[in-house]
Amino acid sequence: MNALRRLLLVLVIVGTVCCTSRLSAAETPNIVLIFADDLGYGDLGCYGAKGYTTPNLDRLAREGIRFTSFYSAQPVCSASRTGLLTGCYPNRLGIHGALGPNAKHGIASGEMTLAELVKQKGYATGMAGKWHLGHHPPFLPTRHGFDEYFGLPYSNDMWPRHPEAKPGSYPPLPLFENERIVNADVTAEDQNHLTAQYSERALHFIETNKNRPFFFYLAHSMPHVPLGASERFRGSSDAGLYGDVIQEIDASVGAILDALDKHGLTENTLVMFTSDNGPWLSYGNHAGSAGPLREGKGTTFEGGVREPFLARWPGKIPAGAVQNEPAMTIDLLPTVAHLIGAELPKHPIDGLDIWPLLANQPGAKNPHEAYYFYYNLGELQAVRSGPWKLILPHTARLIQDRGHDGAPGKYKATMVGQSLYNLDDDLGETTDVAARHPEIVERLLGYAEKARSDMGDSLTKRKGSGVRAAGELHSSSTPQAK
Ligand code: MG
């Protein structure tokens, strides 16, 4: 009898452990978020790229979902990353543009990053790559939820060796490990190794943390200029150095997918891939392609902000799905919160849970009424609701001529008037239909007015009542070189 009782007890314990393990696995998927820099809407094979191949990214699309209308939060680096990591429009957090080496501000300590969100559920968190939310210690990834960090604190062209840099305009470019500078003067040769080094960090992190839930944020410095690729990828494509760089990023994705397979983690890992903003078109053959979209980085035309987005989670996200509903980086934080049962921050955020879109549930719709407020710096330049995009009068930088082999071409500042486009019919924003739809113009102007009142608008000189202050550096503690 006692033996039978013991046997039953053992069976109950084993069953409980197994069930808990399964439940735990379902509730706390690993998350790998890969964020490219200045990669365009047309830059992946599965989005029509030519001259090079992206078999591993295409595999992600084949085994998961591909979005056709996915947006970054702004058409430039720091602002875009703020949106991705906090679920807020960057304007709400007082972070605009691209923070340079002289910036004395960064992400405020009171904000909640995606890393801090998943920490609620005991995730291991790591990051490799470009941070760009403040390079002084209080703003570094290790102060904002990441257990470990390796990478550049800001853009790789904020660099005294850049052909366009005026003498004295930039200090040497540092490479960080956690809060220490491990290379105080990154060289062109060092830039060639960034993609490989970041990837090694990702693989090591996955290996080290394979037995607990983890979140790894891989924010590639490439394909932002100046381009750099490892020896083995140089000359590997038919599209010059830009193609080589993309093929190395693609191989890095492949190595991560292989590592997940090797460790038996594929079924329990959500892998996502997207980019911070569109291609830097003035760099000509060193820039990517926005495909059918108008213009690129630095503008709020679709080419500046609409990005490839791929997500794979076998068994949860159907394989080979294509999602045409709009979605945006600010929605990822609340979506992850929903998936893992984490609490959202107490302060307001702008993103909404888009799991029904990621899971490709029948009839799922984007949950936002006015979907996208296209801010550029502090300017509210356009608004989207459904298929309708209303461009508000502003000065845009339009491509005048394209550069070559790392030297940029020129822009021309051009006044753009109020105009309405139906993005379902006119992806390239070619035909203004405002005169035919005055009621839609009025409705979208109403949304714009609400956004101005909440988040401000420098075009109409409005201050937003819902804007929070960025973090300011009060007492400088300079990072120490090794
Ligand atoms: Mg960028």
Side-chain angles (χ1 to χ4, degrees):
M1 192 65 183
N2 278 346
L4 186 58
R5 253 194 213 142
R6 275 202 299 275
L7 179 63
L8 283 173
L9 188 62
V10 167
L11 288 174
V12 166
I13 290 170
V14 168
T16 304
V17 167
C18 291
C19 288
T20 304
S21 163
R22 269 205 305 277
L23 193 63
S24 161
E27 284 183 336
T28 52
N30 306 309
I31 300 166
V32 177
L33 174 59
I34 306 170
F35 205 53
D37 194 350
D38 293 6
L39 179 119
Y41 186 75
D43 276 350
L44 307 187
C46 51
Y47 285 81
K50 300 274 185 279
Y52 55 84
T53 60
T54 56
N56 296 293
L57 286 156
D58 298 350
R59 176 187 164 194
L60 262 190
R62 209 169 49 246
E63 296 178 356
I65 192 163
R66 179 173 74 85
F67 279 57
T68 62
S69 191
F70 190 89
Y71 292 94
S72 64
Q74 273 216 16
V76 69
C77 299
S78 296
S80 173
R81 282 149 216 272
T82 302
L84 175 78
L85 290 179
T86 66
C88 296
Y89 283 106
N91 305 69
R92 188 177 295 293
L93 273 56
I95 295 187
H96 305 284
L99 305 185
N102 294 324
K104 297 280 196 294
H105 66 291
I107 185 165
S109 58
E111 302 299 339
M112 183 188 286
T113 67
L114 197 45
E116 288 165 322
L117 180 108
V118 301
K119 273 283 169 207
Q120 294 174 34
K121 294 291 175 181
Y123 276 59
T125 54
M127 176 188 174
K130 170 170 158 179
W131 173 239
H132 221 176
L133 295 181
H135 66 285
H136 291 283
F139 312 128
L140 289 174
T142 42
R143 306 288 180 96
H144 289 274
F146 289 97
D147 300 331
E148 59 181 78
Y149 168 59
F150 175 85
L152 299 183
Y154 40 73
S155 297
N156 60 327
D157 68 335
M158 295 171 171
W159 188 49
R161 292 177 170 87
H162 192 273
E164 295 305 302
K166 295 187 182 74
S169 54
Y170 291 116
L173 178 63
L175 182 72
F176 278 70
E177 172 140 23
N178 297 324
E179 298 187 11
R180 290 175 61 80
I181 293 173
V182 290
N183 179 352
D185 188 8
V186 170
T187 65
E189 183 56 21
D190 294 335
Q191 296 233 20
N192 288 335
H193 300 294
L194 289 175
T195 300
Q197 283 183 300
Y198 295 166
S199 304
E200 283 164 17
R201 294 286 167 147
L203 298 178
H204 182 258
F205 181 88
I206 291 169
E207 165 91 42
T208 306
N209 294 288
K210 59 180 184 280
N211 294 322
R212 59 184 288 203
F214 64 78
F215 165 48
F216 196 80
Y217 172 43
L218 173 53
H220 281 294
S221 289
M222 300 294 150
H224 192 294
V225 295
L227 299 178
S230 304
E231 185 76 27
R232 111 181 144 90
F233 287 93
R234 289 189 161 252
S236 67
S237 78
D238 295 327
L241 184 54
Y242 191 85
D244 301 344
V245 166
I246 300 295
Q247 292 197 160
E248 185 166 18
I249 290 173
D250 180 76
S252 160
V253 172
I256 289 168
L257 299 183
D258 288 348
L260 296 175
D261 285 343
K262 184 175 91 178
H263 298 307
L265 299 172
T266 298
E267 301 297 316
N268 190 36
T269 303
L270 170 61
V271 181
M272 295 180 281
F273 179 94
T274 187
S275 172
D276 68 334
N277 52 253
W280 203 347
L281 295 175
S282 64
Y283 277 90
N285 65 339
H286 278 203
S289 163
L293 310 180
R294 184 175 176 186
E295 293 289 334
K297 172 178 178 172
T299 77
T300 47
F301 295 112
E302 294 295 287
V305 284
R306 194 187 288 220
E307 293 298 331
F309 179 80
L310 307 172
R312 186 192 77 170
W313 186 7
K316 307 284 185 180
I317 294 176
V322 175
Q323 179 58 264
N324 296 318
E325 275 291 299
M328 191 174 171
T329 51
I330 61 172
D331 298 321
L332 297 183
L333 182 141
T335 302
V336 169
H338 159 79
L339 286 176
I340 69 173
E343 294 281 325
L344 288 172
K346 298 282 182 272
H347 51 243
I349 67 168
D350 299 296
L352 293 172
D353 172 21
I354 55 161
W355 176 246
L357 299 181
L358 275 173
N360 204 29
Q361 291 171 4
K365 291 285 172 204
N366 178 277
H368 297 262
E369 184 184 4
Y371 187 56
Y372 185 7
F373 298 107
Y374 298 71
Y375 274 96
N376 194 4
L377 297 172
E379 299 182 356
L380 179 61
Q381 296 182 345
V383 180
R384 175 172 177 176
S385 177
W388 301 103
K389 178 176 181 180
L390 180 70
I391 292 185
L392 302 162
H394 69 277
T395 302
R397 68 171 201 192
L398 305 183
I399 282 289
Q400 187 168 21
D401 58 57
R402 298 183 190 228
H404 196 70
D405 288 349
K410 289 194 174 59
Y411 289 105
K412 59 182 174 200
T414 305
M415 187 63 200
V416 179
Q418 181 170 296
S419 40
L420 182 73
Y421 300 98
N422 183 326
L423 296 174
D424 282 354
D425 304 335
D426 182 17
L427 191 54
E429 299 169 90
T430 62
T431 308
D432 174 15
V433 293
R436 277 190 263 151
H437 300 284
E439 74 294 349
I440 291 168
V441 171
E442 277 309 302
R443 181 162 63 86
L444 269 64
L445 282 173
Y447 296 141
E449 192 48 33
K450 273 192 205 165
R452 288 175 182 130
S453 156
D454 183 15
M455 291 187 282
D457 172 33
S458 57
L459 283 171
T460 53
K461 304 206 176 350
R462 298 284 296 280
K463 287 219 181 305
S465 59
V467 173
R468 303 193 286 269
E472 292 292 338
L473 190 67
H474 294 301
S475 56
S476 173
S477 49
T478 309
Q480 298 300 307
K482 186 167 71 171

PDB file of all heavy atoms in Angstrom, residues 88-94 111 347-350 375 450-457 462-470:
ATOM      1  N   CYS A  88       5.906  53.669 -27.107  1.00  0.00           N
ATOM      2  CA  CYS A  88       5.391  55.042 -27.166  1.00  0.00           C
ATOM      3  C   CYS A  88       5.878  55.739 -28.426  1.00  0.00           C
ATOM      4  O   CYS A  88       6.993  55.491 -28.895  1.00  0.00           O
ATOM      5  CB  CYS A  88       5.916  55.861 -25.981  1.00  0.00           C
ATOM      6  SG  CYS A  88       5.348  55.280 -24.388  1.00  0.00           S
ATOM      7  N   TYR A  89       5.071  56.685 -28.908  1.00  0.00           N
ATOM      8  CA  TYR A  89       5.617  57.602 -29.902  1.00  0.00           C
ATOM      9  C   TYR A  89       6.804  58.317 -29.261  1.00  0.00           C
ATOM     10  O   TYR A  89       6.703  58.787 -28.116  1.00  0.00           O
ATOM     11  CB  TYR A  89       4.559  58.630 -30.324  1.00  0.00           C
ATOM     12  CG  TYR A  89       3.529  58.068 -31.280  1.00  0.00           C
ATOM     13  CD1 TYR A  89       2.243  57.786 -30.849  1.00  0.00           C
ATOM     14  CD2 TYR A  89       3.860  57.826 -32.605  1.00  0.00           C
ATOM     15  CE1 TYR A  89       1.302  57.258 -31.726  1.00  0.00           C
ATOM     16  CE2 TYR A  89       2.921  57.309 -33.487  1.00  0.00           C
ATOM     17  CZ  TYR A  89       1.644  57.019 -33.046  1.00  0.00           C
ATOM     18  OH  TYR A  89       0.724  56.505 -33.909  1.00  0.00           O
ATOM     19  N   PRO A  90       7.922  58.392 -29.976  1.00  0.00           N
ATOM     20  CA  PRO A  90       9.106  59.014 -29.372  1.00  0.00           C
ATOM     21  C   PRO A  90       8.875  60.456 -28.955  1.00  0.00           C
ATOM     22  O   PRO A  90       9.496  60.937 -28.006  1.00  0.00           O
ATOM     23  CB  PRO A  90      10.163  58.914 -30.471  1.00  0.00           C
ATOM     24  CG  PRO A  90       9.456  58.444 -31.697  1.00  0.00           C
ATOM     25  CD  PRO A  90       8.180  57.819 -31.286  1.00  0.00           C
ATOM     26  N   ASN A  91       7.950  61.141 -29.616  1.00  0.00           N
ATOM     27  CA  ASN A  91       7.651  62.527 -29.250  1.00  0.00           C
ATOM     28  C   ASN A  91       7.126  62.615 -27.823  1.00  0.00           C
ATOM     29  O   ASN A  91       7.357  63.586 -27.127  1.00  0.00           O
ATOM     30  CB  ASN A  91       6.592  63.103 -30.189  1.00  0.00           C
ATOM     31  CG  ASN A  91       7.039  62.954 -31.602  1.00  0.00           C
ATOM     32  OD1 ASN A  91       7.096  61.830 -32.107  1.00  0.00           O
ATOM     33  ND2 ASN A  91       7.401  64.037 -32.228  1.00  0.00           N
ATOM     34  N   ARG A  92       6.411  61.583 -27.413  1.00  0.00           N
ATOM     35  CA  ARG A  92       5.867  61.579 -26.062  1.00  0.00           C
ATOM     36  C   ARG A  92       6.998  61.544 -25.035  1.00  0.00           C
ATOM     37  O   ARG A  92       6.867  62.031 -23.926  1.00  0.00           O
ATOM     38  CB  ARG A  92       4.942  60.356 -25.883  1.00  0.00           C
ATOM     39  CG  ARG A  92       4.186  60.371 -24.578  1.00  0.00           C
ATOM     40  CD  ARG A  92       3.233  59.212 -24.442  1.00  0.00           C
ATOM     41  NE  ARG A  92       2.142  59.198 -25.392  1.00  0.00           N
ATOM     42  CZ  ARG A  92       1.142  60.076 -25.453  1.00  0.00           C
ATOM     43  NH1 ARG A  92       1.101  61.071 -24.593  1.00  0.00           N
ATOM     44  NH2 ARG A  92       0.191  59.970 -26.348  1.00  0.00           N
ATOM     45  N   LEU A  93       8.135  60.964 -25.434  1.00  0.00           N
ATOM     46  CA  LEU A  93       9.246  60.795 -24.499  1.00  0.00           C
ATOM     47  C   LEU A  93      10.341  61.832 -24.694  1.00  0.00           C
ATOM     48  O   LEU A  93      11.400  61.749 -24.069  1.00  0.00           O
ATOM     49  CB  LEU A  93       9.854  59.391 -24.659  1.00  0.00           C
ATOM     50  CG  LEU A  93       9.210  58.288 -23.835  1.00  0.00           C
ATOM     51  CD1 LEU A  93       7.729  58.153 -24.092  1.00  0.00           C
ATOM     52  CD2 LEU A  93       9.903  56.970 -24.103  1.00  0.00           C
ATOM     53  N   GLY A  94      10.097  62.786 -25.577  1.00  0.00           N
ATOM     54  CA  GLY A  94      11.071  63.867 -25.754  1.00  0.00           C
ATOM     55  C   GLY A  94      12.347  63.444 -26.457  1.00  0.00           C
ATOM     56  O   GLY A  94      13.385  64.083 -26.291  1.00  0.00           O
ATOM     57  N   GLU A 111      10.906  55.454 -17.725  1.00  0.00           N
ATOM     58  CA  GLU A 111      10.248  54.730 -18.818  1.00  0.00           C
ATOM     59  C   GLU A 111      10.467  53.226 -18.646  1.00  0.00           C
ATOM     60  O   GLU A 111      11.398  52.802 -17.970  1.00  0.00           O
ATOM     61  CB  GLU A 111      10.798  55.183 -20.175  1.00  0.00           C
ATOM     62  CG  GLU A 111      10.640  56.675 -20.446  1.00  0.00           C
ATOM     63  CD  GLU A 111       9.186  57.133 -20.455  1.00  0.00           C
ATOM     64  OE1 GLU A 111       8.283  56.306 -20.650  1.00  0.00           O
ATOM     65  OE2 GLU A 111       8.957  58.345 -20.252  1.00  0.00           O
ATOM     66  N   HIS A 347       2.397  54.567 -16.648  1.00  0.00           N
ATOM     67  CA  HIS A 347       2.239  55.762 -17.480  1.00  0.00           C
ATOM     68  C   HIS A 347       1.612  55.379 -18.833  1.00  0.00           C
ATOM     69  O   HIS A 347       1.686  54.212 -19.244  1.00  0.00           O
ATOM     70  CB  HIS A 347       3.594  56.456 -17.688  1.00  0.00           C
ATOM     71  CG  HIS A 347       4.681  55.543 -18.175  1.00  0.00           C
ATOM     72  ND1 HIS A 347       5.813  55.264 -17.468  1.00  0.00           N
ATOM     73  CD2 HIS A 347       4.798  54.818 -19.314  1.00  0.00           C
ATOM     74  CE1 HIS A 347       6.585  54.433 -18.144  1.00  0.00           C
ATOM     75  NE2 HIS A 347       5.991  54.146 -19.270  1.00  0.00           N
ATOM     76  N   PRO A 348       1.026  56.359 -19.525  1.00  0.00           N
ATOM     77  CA  PRO A 348       0.379  56.037 -20.806  1.00  0.00           C
ATOM     78  C   PRO A 348       1.403  55.587 -21.847  1.00  0.00           C
ATOM     79  O   PRO A 348       2.518  56.113 -21.900  1.00  0.00           O
ATOM     80  CB  PRO A 348      -0.244  57.371 -21.243  1.00  0.00           C
ATOM     81  CG  PRO A 348      -0.267  58.224 -20.031  1.00  0.00           C
ATOM     82  CD  PRO A 348       0.850  57.764 -19.145  1.00  0.00           C
ATOM     83  N   ILE A 349       1.023  54.594 -22.626  1.00  0.00           N
ATOM     84  CA  ILE A 349       1.803  54.235 -23.811  1.00  0.00           C
ATOM     85  C   ILE A 349       0.857  54.297 -25.010  1.00  0.00           C
ATOM     86  O   ILE A 349      -0.361  54.348 -24.858  1.00  0.00           O
ATOM     87  CB  ILE A 349       2.476  52.849 -23.694  1.00  0.00           C
ATOM     88  CG1 ILE A 349       1.438  51.725 -23.665  1.00  0.00           C
ATOM     89  CG2 ILE A 349       3.398  52.776 -22.484  1.00  0.00           C
ATOM     90  CD1 ILE A 349       2.057  50.348 -23.854  1.00  0.00           C
ATOM     91  N   ASP A 350       1.426  54.270 -26.196  1.00  0.00           N
ATOM     92  CA  ASP A 350       0.616  54.468 -27.405  1.00  0.00           C
ATOM     93  C   ASP A 350       0.304  53.179 -28.150  1.00  0.00           C
ATOM     94  O   ASP A 350      -0.671  53.105 -28.883  1.00  0.00           O
ATOM     95  CB  ASP A 350       1.356  55.431 -28.345  1.00  0.00           C
ATOM     96  CG  ASP A 350       1.552  56.778 -27.695  1.00  0.00           C
ATOM     97  OD1 ASP A 350       0.539  57.436 -27.415  1.00  0.00           O
ATOM     98  OD2 ASP A 350       2.707  57.151 -27.426  1.00  0.00           O
ATOM     99  N   TYR A 375       5.263  61.434 -37.290  1.00  0.00           N
ATOM    100  CA  TYR A 375       6.085  62.540 -36.799  1.00  0.00           C
ATOM    101  C   TYR A 375       7.475  62.425 -37.394  1.00  0.00           C
ATOM    102  O   TYR A 375       8.002  61.330 -37.602  1.00  0.00           O
ATOM    103  CB  TYR A 375       6.219  62.473 -35.272  1.00  0.00           C
ATOM    104  CG  TYR A 375       5.093  63.135 -34.515  1.00  0.00           C
ATOM    105  CD1 TYR A 375       4.016  62.389 -34.051  1.00  0.00           C
ATOM    106  CD2 TYR A 375       5.133  64.492 -34.237  1.00  0.00           C
ATOM    107  CE1 TYR A 375       2.996  62.993 -33.324  1.00  0.00           C
ATOM    108  CE2 TYR A 375       4.115  65.102 -33.515  1.00  0.00           C
ATOM    109  CZ  TYR A 375       3.049  64.344 -33.053  1.00  0.00           C
ATOM    110  OH  TYR A 375       2.041  64.940 -32.344  1.00  0.00           O
ATOM    111  N   LYS A 450      -6.002  66.138 -32.338  1.00  0.00           N
ATOM    112  CA  LYS A 450      -5.883  65.423 -31.051  1.00  0.00           C
ATOM    113  C   LYS A 450      -4.423  65.101 -30.760  1.00  0.00           C
ATOM    114  O   LYS A 450      -3.962  65.222 -29.624  1.00  0.00           O
ATOM    115  CB  LYS A 450      -6.671  64.103 -31.111  1.00  0.00           C
ATOM    116  CG  LYS A 450      -8.114  64.228 -30.737  1.00  0.00           C
ATOM    117  CD  LYS A 450      -8.692  62.816 -30.540  1.00  0.00           C
ATOM    118  CE  LYS A 450     -10.173  62.829 -30.767  1.00  0.00           C
ATOM    119  NZ  LYS A 450     -10.752  61.511 -30.947  1.00  0.00           N
ATOM    120  N   ALA A 451      -3.694  64.662 -31.773  1.00  0.00           N
ATOM    121  CA  ALA A 451      -2.282  64.308 -31.581  1.00  0.00           C
ATOM    122  C   ALA A 451      -1.473  65.542 -31.191  1.00  0.00           C
ATOM    123  O   ALA A 451      -0.605  65.474 -30.320  1.00  0.00           O
ATOM    124  CB  ALA A 451      -1.718  63.676 -32.849  1.00  0.00           C
ATOM    125  N   ARG A 452      -1.761  66.668 -31.823  1.00  0.00           N
ATOM    126  CA  ARG A 452      -1.027  67.903 -31.497  1.00  0.00           C
ATOM    127  C   ARG A 452      -1.249  68.286 -30.035  1.00  0.00           C
ATOM    128  O   ARG A 452      -0.329  68.685 -29.334  1.00  0.00           O
ATOM    129  CB  ARG A 452      -1.512  69.049 -32.388  1.00  0.00           C
ATOM    130  CG  ARG A 452      -1.070  68.919 -33.832  1.00  0.00           C
ATOM    131  CD  ARG A 452      -1.711  70.027 -34.658  1.00  0.00           C
ATOM    132  NE  ARG A 452      -1.355  69.907 -36.053  1.00  0.00           N
ATOM    133  CZ  ARG A 452      -2.226  69.938 -37.055  1.00  0.00           C
ATOM    134  NH1 ARG A 452      -3.525  70.113 -36.820  1.00  0.00           N
ATOM    135  NH2 ARG A 452      -1.814  69.816 -38.297  1.00  0.00           N
ATOM    136  N   SER A 453      -2.510  68.188 -29.628  1.00  0.00           N
ATOM    137  CA  SER A 453      -2.836  68.564 -28.270  1.00  0.00           C
ATOM    138  C   SER A 453      -2.137  67.632 -27.265  1.00  0.00           C
ATOM    139  O   SER A 453      -1.689  68.058 -26.207  1.00  0.00           O
ATOM    140  CB  SER A 453      -4.362  68.508 -28.146  1.00  0.00           C
ATOM    141  OG  SER A 453      -4.734  68.319 -26.847  1.00  0.00           O
ATOM    142  N   ASP A 454      -1.996  66.388 -27.619  1.00  0.00           N
ATOM    143  CA  ASP A 454      -1.414  65.379 -26.718  1.00  0.00           C
ATOM    144  C   ASP A 454       0.122  65.364 -26.793  1.00  0.00           C
ATOM    145  O   ASP A 454       0.807  65.376 -25.773  1.00  0.00           O
ATOM    146  CB  ASP A 454      -1.980  64.016 -27.134  1.00  0.00           C
ATOM    147  CG  ASP A 454      -1.522  62.895 -26.233  1.00  0.00           C
ATOM    148  OD1 ASP A 454      -1.003  63.172 -25.140  1.00  0.00           O
ATOM    149  OD2 ASP A 454      -1.682  61.723 -26.631  1.00  0.00           O
ATOM    150  N   MET A 455       0.661  65.354 -28.018  1.00  0.00           N
ATOM    151  CA  MET A 455       2.109  65.131 -28.172  1.00  0.00           C
ATOM    152  C   MET A 455       2.844  66.333 -28.780  1.00  0.00           C
ATOM    153  O   MET A 455       4.044  66.268 -29.010  1.00  0.00           O
ATOM    154  CB  MET A 455       2.357  63.894 -29.031  1.00  0.00           C
ATOM    155  CG  MET A 455       1.941  62.612 -28.321  1.00  0.00           C
ATOM    156  SD  MET A 455       2.387  61.135 -29.219  1.00  0.00           S
ATOM    157  CE  MET A 455       1.106  61.077 -30.465  1.00  0.00           C
ATOM    158  N   GLY A 456       2.117  67.397 -29.055  1.00  0.00           N
ATOM    159  CA  GLY A 456       2.741  68.596 -29.592  1.00  0.00           C
ATOM    160  C   GLY A 456       2.966  68.518 -31.094  1.00  0.00           C
ATOM    161  O   GLY A 456       2.747  67.480 -31.726  1.00  0.00           O
ATOM    162  N   ASP A 457       3.375  69.639 -31.663  1.00  0.00           N
ATOM    163  CA  ASP A 457       3.655  69.699 -33.103  1.00  0.00           C
ATOM    164  C   ASP A 457       4.411  70.998 -33.370  1.00  0.00           C
ATOM    165  O   ASP A 457       3.854  72.084 -33.215  1.00  0.00           O
ATOM    166  CB  ASP A 457       2.337  69.675 -33.893  1.00  0.00           C
ATOM    167  CG  ASP A 457       2.558  69.943 -35.377  1.00  0.00           C
ATOM    168  OD1 ASP A 457       3.621  69.548 -35.893  1.00  0.00           O
ATOM    169  OD2 ASP A 457       1.668  70.543 -35.996  1.00  0.00           O
ATOM    170  N   ARG A 462       2.735  73.853 -31.339  1.00  0.00           N
ATOM    171  CA  ARG A 462       1.898  73.375 -30.238  1.00  0.00           C
ATOM    172  C   ARG A 462       2.753  72.604 -29.247  1.00  0.00           C
ATOM    173  O   ARG A 462       3.664  71.866 -29.637  1.00  0.00           O
ATOM    174  CB  ARG A 462       0.817  72.440 -30.790  1.00  0.00           C
ATOM    175  CG  ARG A 462      -0.125  73.127 -31.759  1.00  0.00           C
ATOM    176  CD  ARG A 462      -1.109  73.999 -31.022  1.00  0.00           C
ATOM    177  NE  ARG A 462      -1.967  73.194 -30.176  1.00  0.00           N
ATOM    178  CZ  ARG A 462      -3.036  72.515 -30.629  1.00  0.00           C
ATOM    179  NH1 ARG A 462      -3.374  72.584 -31.898  1.00  0.00           N
ATOM    180  NH2 ARG A 462      -3.771  71.808 -29.806  1.00  0.00           N
ATOM    181  N   LYS A 463       2.422  72.769 -27.979  1.00  0.00           N
ATOM    182  CA  LYS A 463       3.047  71.960 -26.943  1.00  0.00           C
ATOM    183  C   LYS A 463       2.051  70.882 -26.532  1.00  0.00           C
ATOM    184  O   LYS A 463       0.871  71.161 -26.371  1.00  0.00           O
ATOM    185  CB  LYS A 463       3.388  72.829 -25.726  1.00  0.00           C
ATOM    186  CG  LYS A 463       4.554  73.769 -25.936  1.00  0.00           C
ATOM    187  CD  LYS A 463       5.400  73.831 -24.654  1.00  0.00           C
ATOM    188  CE  LYS A 463       6.586  74.769 -24.783  1.00  0.00           C
ATOM    189  NZ  LYS A 463       7.445  74.467 -25.919  1.00  0.00           N
ATOM    190  N   GLY A 464       2.531  69.659 -26.377  1.00  0.00           N
ATOM    191  CA  GLY A 464       1.628  68.570 -26.030  1.00  0.00           C
ATOM    192  C   GLY A 464       1.480  68.403 -24.529  1.00  0.00           C
ATOM    193  O   GLY A 464       2.469  68.462 -23.801  1.00  0.00           O
ATOM    194  N   SER A 465       0.238  68.181 -24.091  1.00  0.00           N
ATOM    195  CA  SER A 465       0.013  68.029 -22.647  1.00  0.00           C
ATOM    196  C   SER A 465       0.476  66.659 -22.150  1.00  0.00           C
ATOM    197  O   SER A 465       0.669  66.467 -20.964  1.00  0.00           O
ATOM    198  CB  SER A 465      -1.475  68.213 -22.338  1.00  0.00           C
ATOM    199  OG  SER A 465      -2.219  67.236 -23.060  1.00  0.00           O
ATOM    200  N   GLY A 466       0.674  65.707 -23.069  1.00  0.00           N
ATOM    201  CA  GLY A 466       1.036  64.352 -22.640  1.00  0.00           C
ATOM    202  C   GLY A 466       2.502  64.016 -22.833  1.00  0.00           C
ATOM    203  O   GLY A 466       2.881  62.843 -22.785  1.00  0.00           O
ATOM    204  N   VAL A 467       3.331  65.051 -23.051  1.00  0.00           N
ATOM    205  CA  VAL A 467       4.762  64.790 -23.310  1.00  0.00           C
ATOM    206  C   VAL A 467       5.503  64.646 -21.990  1.00  0.00           C
ATOM    207  O   VAL A 467       5.322  65.440 -21.069  1.00  0.00           O
ATOM    208  CB  VAL A 467       5.363  65.944 -24.142  1.00  0.00           C
ATOM    209  CG1 VAL A 467       6.869  65.784 -24.276  1.00  0.00           C
ATOM    210  CG2 VAL A 467       4.708  65.991 -25.519  1.00  0.00           C
ATOM    211  N   ARG A 468       6.333  63.624 -21.908  1.00  0.00           N
ATOM    212  CA  ARG A 468       7.186  63.423 -20.724  1.00  0.00           C
ATOM    213  C   ARG A 468       8.621  63.835 -21.085  1.00  0.00           C
ATOM    214  O   ARG A 468       9.013  63.767 -22.250  1.00  0.00           O
ATOM    215  CB  ARG A 468       7.156  61.953 -20.283  1.00  0.00           C
ATOM    216  CG  ARG A 468       5.749  61.452 -19.982  1.00  0.00           C
ATOM    217  CD  ARG A 468       5.764  60.124 -19.264  1.00  0.00           C
ATOM    218  NE  ARG A 468       6.097  58.979 -20.080  1.00  0.00           N
ATOM    219  CZ  ARG A 468       5.211  58.221 -20.737  1.00  0.00           C
ATOM    220  NH1 ARG A 468       3.932  58.517 -20.704  1.00  0.00           N
ATOM    221  NH2 ARG A 468       5.610  57.172 -21.430  1.00  0.00           N
ATOM    222  N   ALA A 469       9.375  64.206 -20.089  1.00  0.00           N
ATOM    223  CA  ALA A 469      10.742  64.691 -20.350  1.00  0.00           C
ATOM    224  C   ALA A 469      11.684  63.528 -20.608  1.00  0.00           C
ATOM    225  O   ALA A 469      11.570  62.462 -19.995  1.00  0.00           O
ATOM    226  CB  ALA A 469      11.232  65.496 -19.165  1.00  0.00           C
ATOM    227  N   ALA A 470      12.635  63.751 -21.526  1.00  0.00           N
ATOM    228  CA  ALA A 470      13.715  62.780 -21.708  1.00  0.00           C
ATOM    229  C   ALA A 470      14.608  62.815 -20.474  1.00  0.00           C
ATOM    230  O   ALA A 470      14.541  63.741 -19.658  1.00  0.00           O
ATOM    231  CB  ALA A 470      14.524  63.145 -22.952  1.00  0.00           C
TER     232      ALA A 470
END
